[in-house]
């Protein structure tokens, strides 16, 4: 197709416009361009206007659809658009499509200068006689549509489309000027990308996929003629995509286009007749629009998180409104990190265990350690706005519940949903803080059935014990079923999830250090959480329940935090994208680069992994587990290196299992989204569901990944470095014991409460931590309650220590 340019002057065009306008006025009083208006075209101002084109025409920025794909780059998740459009070049469009459009809309396109004067005269005569004809050339249509679709205000839209002589004159002037500044091919290409073809399809690319689910380069003769029939009559296609409506008008118009193509010599009569015999053959591609219209309903929660992520990226605009506008207008190809196969398998496993009509929310998030890529966000819910048939709320509120349909971000949270109580999964952060402070894995701490802590609580708190002072008593946490044990090292403490030992460990390092470890790992506490309020008030170290996970977090954050440990202490922000490519084919690599930092020393994270392997029953080299781990019964068929942690929130408000390999971390939980405070949610069956599905999802996540492992913890992390021996204490005066420990270089204090021992009541019998500890560490003197004391003339019983059950959550 050759490029046609003409030598002409604005004055000559103005005279031509005047002459033809006069002829039209003579032929009909209601001619399209009145004489008085045309006369003005030859004035100097009007002539100058030929060279003064709006930037919308010289540099058009038409809104284009952004398409969002799964990680394979081919599976379409959804699209974001203000107008369903994707720009193409002429080379990407079938010549049949171009011939059909020119036949239908402007057969003299390559002959006129932007305005078809003869056509204007014919239309004027016909209109005077009561007929209704248009005289807009393809160039004029390009001008009109570009101004409409580039408009940013309603006034601009009205100005570009109102049925007035002023608008028609302006359109004619612009069209002739466009023909001076652009080639015919450039105008034609612009027209192909701007025309409206009905059913929210803007441009030939969107139209080709909307009606025939194929690129415009593959359109057949009949299909091209069908699309060419729509620019003037887009309503002809109304209802046809839904299997409704009358197709007779569009078929008649299509056949007319085919006859026009024959008359212009584009095709033969035989070809036209064969095309006329064909049915319309509509094969529409479903138009996915944002997250409520994803290709598969369970992908909606990931899509919602992706949109939230996009809105938070400064690279996409100054504020959230500007960023979302760019997403809807920018024509991006976005390849996300969503593993569609894993997402579907995880959703199926979760829904099989807990039905979507169950008020208990069972969900799971999978992240890649070292990059933060979010591979799956699955839950036993349907992402949908239609909540009319939802079940009753468990909190009694008169509003829709979250099951089975919801758009609440159940897995990532928002300002209204802080998440779910974390339970013992927070013990990881206390352990990380302790390891980072120099407490080795071999640190041994007593694990009594109940422990009188240094933290205070309300006197009427069921967990309070001891003497009351000013309405407060010591907080006395207990192990599940009150099991007790002789001193446990960190492998045993973590594997068996000892509450009483971890509260003591938190006392050693301080709650503020455990809190800082959680934040460094990736937990973003809600401003209304108790721990955030304590931090703001400056009394965080008085907060005892932190290590037992009374505070809420989301599955996404828990996966992020444990992935930090799995990646040898490298923390990466959750990232839902792999590629972002703009409409010009340029990749925005900066926005897809993982945002990471070294949150913990590698040896600290590696030591924490070693303790976590006891939870899942993996006695790896360098690991010294004690008893059975709390998830060991579920991981027997998992044949790769793995670590994890279970967690029961107080009063069974929620339950968690987090499992990880070096290249996949999965956080699975159950809770009540409507009432996150509700007790008794995590029944025995649901706890089983969390562990079994959590392990199964992790197994699916690593199926096609390279098997990797972790190294042994270093000697310093196992045995400590530059530690100081703690003096032994055996049935002695409490003050003398405190002095002895203090003189050794520790922050010694007498522990509140009394504990079972074979010493006399009131005597010091041991320390809170035995063996050795970092110099200056707090060490508490334990006082006997005399429960096992026997006089010398009595026969002592067997010295037995209660080992308790295999473990707790």
């Amino acid at each position: 197709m050759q490029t046609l340019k003409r030598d002409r002057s604005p004055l000559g065009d103005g005279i031509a416009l005047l002459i033809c306008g006069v002829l039209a006025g003579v032929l009909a009083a209601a001619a399209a361009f009145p004489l008085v208006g045309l006369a003005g075209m030859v004035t100097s101002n009007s002539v100058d206007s030929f060279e003064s084109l709006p930037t919308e025409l010289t540099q058009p920025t038409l809104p284009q659809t952004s398409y969002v794909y799964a990680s394979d780059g081919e599976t379409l998740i959804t699209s974001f658009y203000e107008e369903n459009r994707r720009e193409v070049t002429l080379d990407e469009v079938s010549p049949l499509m171009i011939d059909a459009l020119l036949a239908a809309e402007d057969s003299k396109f390559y002959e006129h200068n932007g305005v078809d004067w003869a056509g204007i005269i014919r239309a004027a005569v016909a209109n005077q006689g009561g007929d209704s004809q248009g005289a807009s050339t393809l160039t004029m249509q390009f001008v009109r549509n570009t101004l409409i679709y580039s408009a940013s205000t309603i006034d601009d839209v009205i100005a570009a489309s109102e049925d007035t002589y002023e608008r028609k004159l302006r359109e004619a002037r612009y069209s002739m000027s466009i023909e001076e500044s652009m080639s015919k091919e450039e105008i034609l290409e612009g027209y192909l990308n701007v025309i409206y073809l009905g059913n929210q399809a803007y441009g030939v690319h969107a139209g080709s996929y909307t009606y025939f689910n194929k690129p415009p380069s593959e359109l057949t003769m009949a299909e091209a003629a069908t699309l060419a029939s729509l620019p003037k009559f887009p309503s002809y296609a109304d209802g046809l995509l839904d299997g409704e409506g009358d197709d007779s008008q569009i078929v008649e118009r299509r056949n007319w286009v085919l006859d026009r193509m024959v008359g212009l010599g584009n095709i033969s009569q035989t070809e036209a007749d064969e095309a006329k015999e064909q049915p319309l053959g509509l094969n529409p591609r479903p138009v996915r629009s944002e997250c409520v219209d994803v290709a598969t309903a369970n992908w909606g929660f990931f899509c919602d998180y992706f949109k939230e992520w996009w809105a938070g990226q400064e690279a996409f605009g100054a504020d959230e409104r500007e960023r979302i506008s760019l997403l809807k207008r920018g024509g991006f190809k976005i390849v996300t990190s969503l593993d569609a196969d894993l997402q579907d398998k995880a959703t199926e496993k979760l829904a099989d265990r807990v039905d979507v009509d169950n008020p208990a929310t069972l969900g799971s998030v999978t992240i890649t350690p070292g990059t933060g890529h979010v591979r799956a966000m699955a839950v036993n819910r349907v992402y949908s706005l239609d909540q009319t048939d939802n079940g009753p709320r468990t909190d009694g509120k008169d509003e829709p519940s979250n099951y089975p349909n919801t758009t609440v971000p159940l897995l990532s949270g928002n300002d209204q949903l802080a998440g779910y109580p974390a339970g013992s999964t927070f013990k990881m952060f206390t352990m990380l803080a302790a390891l980072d402070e120099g407490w080795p894995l071999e640190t041994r701490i007593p694990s009594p059935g109940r422990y009188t802590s240094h933290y205070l609580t309300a006197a009427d708190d069921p967990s309070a014990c001891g003497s009351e002072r000013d309405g407060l008593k010591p907080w006395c946490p207990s192990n599940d079923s009150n099991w007790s044990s002789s001193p446990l090292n960190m492998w045993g403490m973590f594997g068996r999830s000892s509450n009483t030992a971890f509260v003591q460990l938190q006392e050693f390092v301080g709650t503020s250090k455990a809190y800082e470890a959680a934040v460094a790992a990736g937990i973003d506490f809600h401003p209304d959480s108790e721990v955030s309020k304590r931090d703001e008030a400056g009394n965080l170290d008085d907060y005892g329940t932190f290590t037992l996970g009374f505070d809420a977090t989301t599955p996404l954050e828990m996966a992020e935090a444990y992935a930090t440990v799995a990646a040898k202490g490298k923390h990466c922000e959750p990232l839902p994208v792999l590629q972002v490519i703009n409409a010009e084919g340029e990749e925005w690599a900066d926005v897809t680069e993982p945002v990471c930092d070294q949150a913990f020393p590698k040896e600290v994270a590696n030591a924490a992994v070693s303790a976590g392997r006891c939870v899942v029953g993996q006695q790896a080299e360098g690991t010294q587990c004690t008893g059975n781990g709390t998830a060991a019964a579920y991981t027997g068929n998992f044949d790769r290196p793995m670590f994890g942690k279970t967690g029961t929130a107080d009063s069974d408000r929620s339950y968690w299992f987090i499992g990880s390999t070096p290249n996949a971390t999965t956080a699975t939980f159950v809770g009540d989204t409507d009432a996150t405070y509700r007790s008794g949610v995590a029944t025995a069956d649901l706890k089983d569901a969390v562990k079994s599905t959590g392990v199964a999802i992790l197994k699916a996540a690593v199926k096609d990944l390279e098997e990797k492992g972790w190294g042994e913890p270093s000697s310093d992390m196992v045995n400590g470095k530059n530690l100081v021996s703690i003096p032994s204490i055996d049935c002695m005066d409490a003050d003398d014991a405190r002095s002895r420990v203090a003189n050794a270089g520790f922050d010694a204090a007498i522990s509140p409460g009394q504990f079972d021992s074979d010493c006399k009541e009131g005597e010091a019998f041991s320390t809170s931590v035995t063996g050795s500890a970092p110099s200056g560490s707090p060490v508490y003197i334990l006082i006997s309650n005399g429960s096992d004391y026997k006089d010398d003339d009595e026969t002592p019983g067997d010295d037995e220590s209660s080992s308790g059950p295999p473990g707790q959550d």
Side-chain angles (χ1 to χ4, degrees), residues 564-771:
T564 299
V565 181
K568 301 179 180 179
K570 181 182 179 181
H571 167 253
C572 298
E573 297 287 342
L575 184 61
V577 295
L578 300 177
Q579 271 189 316
V580 174
I581 301 171
N582 68 12
E584 288 73 41
E586 301 166 338
E587 184 172 356
W588 290 16
D590 289 348
V591 296
T592 60
E593 188 69 24
V595 179
C596 305
D597 64 279
Q598 194 66 36
F600 307 101
K602 293 180 180 179
E603 59 269 21
V604 168
N606 203 34
V609 165
S610 182
R613 300 190 73 171
C614 294
V615 174
V616 298
Q618 292 192 353
Q619 187 76 265
E621 192 170 352
T623 298
Q624 304 172 32
C625 303
T626 303
N628 292 326
T630 56
Y634 294 82
T635 58
N637 64 349
F638 197 92
D639 57 358
R640 295 189 180 210
M642 172 191 187
F643 81 96
K645 185 71 184 78
T646 56
T648 306
D650 61 301
S651 303
D652 289 324
R653 292 188 293 155
S654 63
Y655 186 78
W656 298 76
F657 171 70
I658 301 148
S660 184
T661 69
N663 45 15
T665 302
T666 296
T668 306
F669 85 107
V670 69
D672 185 345
T673 304
D674 285 344
T676 58
Y677 56 82
R678 183 166 69 91
S679 62
V681 175
T683 62
D685 181 65
L686 289 181
K687 290 179 181 179
D688 175 83
V690 169
K691 284 182 279 198
S692 61
T693 56
V695 172
I697 292 170
L698 182 59
K699 193 171 185 179
V702 301
K703 179 182 177 183
D704 297 322
L705 302 181
E706 179 186 356
E707 181 173 335
K708 296 181 178 181
W710 298 276
E712 296 181 47
S714 67
S715 176
D716 287 346
M717 299 309 301
V718 172
N719 300 306
K721 184 178 181 181
N722 300 322
L723 300 181
V724 177
S725 295
I726 300 172
S728 60
I729 303 296
D730 185 20
C731 298
M732 62 186 297
D733 178 77
D735 288 331
D736 289 344
R738 184 185 58 77
S739 297
R740 178 184 293 186
V741 173
N743 290 336
F746 297 101
D747 181 9
I750 296 175
S751 180
Q754 295 183 339
F755 305 88
D756 294 347
S757 85
D758 56 5
C759 295
K760 291 182 180 179
E761 183 179 1
E763 288 184 333
F765 69 92
S766 186
T767 51
S768 55
V769 59
T770 58

Side-chain angles (χ1 to χ4, degrees), residues 369-383:
T371 65
H373 287 131
V374 182
R375 292 180 58 197
M377 298 180 73
V379 65
N380 65 328
R381 293 290 184 268
V382 178
Y383 192 89

